[in-house]
């Protein structure tokens, strides 16, 4: 009798397992992922100094082509901001030029929004026009502006 009970239980277990396999039961799993916004930047080129000559003072400004070349990559669909920091008070204002776009900064610097360009690496080549304050002397000055890419 005991052997028959064990046999019946075994047959029941085998049949219940085989029914699940034959019926083709499927299980699905949903996975959600949140991709955090990231930004990477590296400075390819940065002028180390700014030379101001007598003719620059007479003209009222100094122009520097390709003063900063920055490489930026982000996955943030809202784009990013370029933060320009100025630490020399010999300027009234600064015009930053990049690919035909001119942005006027105050003597304190400023923020400039950059749209999302896909997951591409962008090369930003900045030229500058520094408008001089009265009383500026000709000479060699340390580079007066820095650029940093930051998320919104």
């Amino acid at each position: 009798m005991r052997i028959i009970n064990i046999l019946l239980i075994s047959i029941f277990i085998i049949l219940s397992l085989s029914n699940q396999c034959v019926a083709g039961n499927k299980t699905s799993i949903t996975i959600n992922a949140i991709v955090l916004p990231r930004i990477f930047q590296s400075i390819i080129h940065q002028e180390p100094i700014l030379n101001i000559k007598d003719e620059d003072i007479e003209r009222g400004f100094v122009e520097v082509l390709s003063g900063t070349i920055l490489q930026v990559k982000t996955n943030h669909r809202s784009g990013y901001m370029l933060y320009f920091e100025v630490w020399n008070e010999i300027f009234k204002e600064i015009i930053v030029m990049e690919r035909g776009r001119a942005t006027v900064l105050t003597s304190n610097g400023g923020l400039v929004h950059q749209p999302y360009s896909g997951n591409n690496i962008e090369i930003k080549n900045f030229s500058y026009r520094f408008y001089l304050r009265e009383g500026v002397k000709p000479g060699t000055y340390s580079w007066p502006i820095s650029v940093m890419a930051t998320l919104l």
Side-chain angles (χ1 to χ4, degrees), residues 38-41 70-84 96-105 110-118 120-126 147-152:
R38 301 185 82 179
I39 191 163
F40 302 95
Q41 73 168 18
L70 184 69
Q71 179 176 302
V72 181
K73 181 178 180 178
T74 186
N75 65 348
H76 194 15
R77 297 201 184 272
S78 296
Y80 59 96
M81 298 296 280
L82 290 172
Y83 173 59
F84 291 88
V96 179
M97 297 161 281
E98 196 257 335
R99 294 187 185 178
R101 179 179 171 185
T103 303
V104 179
L105 303 175
L111 291 168
V112 180
H113 178 260
Q114 301 294 298
Y116 179 64
S117 66
N120 303 320
I121 294 174
E122 293 182 80
I123 304 296
K124 300 290 191 175
N125 187 344
F126 300 110
V147 184
M148 183 177 79
T150 182
L151 292 173
L152 299 172

Side-chain angles (χ1 to χ4, degrees), residues 82-145:
L82 290 172
Y83 173 59
F84 291 88
E85 183 179 18
V86 180
W87 55 80
N88 196 323
E89 298 190 13
I90 62 173
F91 311 111
K92 290 188 272 188
E93 68 181 16
I94 301 163
I95 296 181
V96 179
M97 297 161 281
E98 196 257 335
R99 294 187 185 178
R101 179 179 171 185
T103 303
V104 179
L105 303 175
T106 68
S107 59
N108 297 322
L111 291 168
V112 180
H113 178 260
Q114 301 294 298
Y116 179 64
S117 66
N119 240 354
N120 303 320
I121 294 174
E122 293 182 80
I123 304 296
K124 300 290 191 175
N125 187 344
F126 300 110
S127 295
Y128 302 93
R129 182 176 286 177
F130 299 97
Y131 285 94
L132 304 171
R133 291 191 187 275
E134 297 291 323
V136 173
K137 304 289 184 216
T140 301
Y141 296 83
S142 60
W143 187 253
I145 192 166

